[in-house]
Amino acid sequence: MTTLPTRDRTVDADILPGDRTGRWAGIRWAVPSIVTVAVLVAVWQIYVSTSDVRPQVLPSPLRVIEQGWARRDEIATHAAATLQVTLVGFAVSLSAAWVLAVIVDFSPWLRRALVPLFVASQTVPIVAIAPLMIIWFGFGLLPKILVVALVTFFPMAIGLIEGFAAADRDAGALLRSMGASRVQEFRYVRLPSAVPRFYTSLRIAITYAVVGAVFAEYVGASVGLGIYMSLQKNSFRTDLVLAAVLVTALLSIALYLTTFAVERLVAPWARTENRSRRD
């Protein structure tokens, strides 16, 4: 029976989904955040309980949870609509980012022409984009998808472009000296080098996606967490507004954590490479 070298066993154990060390490390990493949130919620509850603040101004955390649970079916319907917009818009953005990043990598002229435009696009705030999309495309699904796509496109595209550019030049030169084509160099050197940066940018973009979807719904929609917050705000139901905010945060966290699961399944070696760079 062949025995793996010690280094290989360490790497394999680090990237296996069921690895206990990685799981306990993740729990230890989350403990400070959980404790901080618990302390803030406790202070909030104590303040509301000991003061005369009205629920319309600042409801207690218990009231937010109670009222949110009482309206769970209604909130779930709106959350499902927001999740649909988020995922579809993010899929459009992801596809466009990959296509344009690959094209830019193969054309230095396009890189010089398009990358400054990508950067300049980030100077336009979402509060200006969303109303324009509603004016141009109406109140259907399309404008909300476009808002999400525009909000999330930049971090993924730039992450991929910089990842491709950061490829090992010596490895590329070695492949070319062996007669490899530009496509083969891209496949075996530039693409693997971009994957770790891509997943970092993916995690940034997925959190933007939920915010973009909610804001687009807030501007104009018939269903979704954004319009639900707007309606409850107009009814002075601050507790339900905060319940919707809590659901929005949970959706963002769930999607953020999903990117780690996808990374483990698709490119487990990328996580190891990211760790070695930090070390």
Side-chain angles (χ1 to χ4, degrees), residues 10-253:
T10 303
V11 171
D12 289 343
D14 181 62
I15 64 177
L16 285 175
D19 177 43
R20 293 184 178 181
T21 303
R23 185 163 60 246
W24 281 111
I27 294 174
R28 290 195 300 270
W29 175 81
V31 165
S33 298
I34 294 173
V35 171
T36 302
V37 171
V39 170
L40 292 176
V41 170
V43 171
W44 175 9
Q45 180 68 42
I46 293 171
Y47 173 76
V48 173
S49 300
T50 57
S51 65
D52 295 329
V53 62
R54 294 180 301 166
Q56 292 82 1
V57 177
L58 182 64
S60 68
L62 289 178
R63 180 183 176 88
V64 171
I65 295 174
E66 288 173 356
Q67 294 302 313
W69 181 254
R71 301 287 188 91
R72 60 186 180 278
D73 294 336
E74 183 180 359
I75 294 177
T77 300
H78 289 280
T82 298
L83 183 61
Q84 179 188 13
V85 171
T86 299
L87 294 180
V88 175
F90 190 74
V92 172
S93 177
L94 181 63
S95 302
W98 269 99
V99 170
L100 287 177
V102 171
I103 292 174
V104 165
D105 186 67
F106 276 84
S107 174
W109 185 87
L110 282 178
R111 178 187 177 91
R112 293 192 297 270
L114 294 181
V115 170
L117 294 180
F118 294 162
V119 176
S121 68
Q122 299 307 293
T123 62
V124 181
I126 186 176
V127 294
I129 296 175
L132 290 175
M133 291 297 168
I134 298 297
I135 293 173
W136 292 338
F137 300 104
F139 291 90
L141 189 63
L142 179 60
K144 294 186 282 292
I145 291 174
L146 291 177
V147 169
V148 174
L150 289 173
V151 168
T152 59
F153 171 79
F154 177 77
M156 289 189 293
I158 294 299
L160 285 169
I161 291 171
E162 292 184 352
F164 294 147
D168 189 340
R169 295 185 179 182
D170 292 337
L174 177 61
L175 280 181
R176 289 193 299 273
S177 68
M178 298 172 63
S181 65
R182 178 67 173 81
V183 174
Q184 290 174 319
E185 179 192 353
F186 176 83
R187 177 182 177 184
Y188 294 111
V189 177
R190 301 177 78 84
L191 180 59
S193 71
V195 170
R197 295 194 183 198
F198 165 69
Y199 279 104
T200 299
S201 62
L202 184 74
R203 283 187 268 276
I204 297 172
I206 197 64
T207 56
Y208 289 171
V210 179
V211 175
V214 169
F215 191 85
E217 293 167 347
Y218 203 94
V219 174
S222 58
V223 64
L225 289 173
I227 191 64
Y228 183 78
M229 293 180 197
S230 180
L231 293 174
Q232 300 307 320
K233 175 182 67 68
N234 295 336
S235 301
F236 300 98
R237 291 299 306 271
T238 310
D239 49 0
L240 293 178
V241 173
L242 291 176
V245 170
L246 175 61
V247 172
T248 302
L250 293 176
L251 282 178
S252 299
I253 293 172

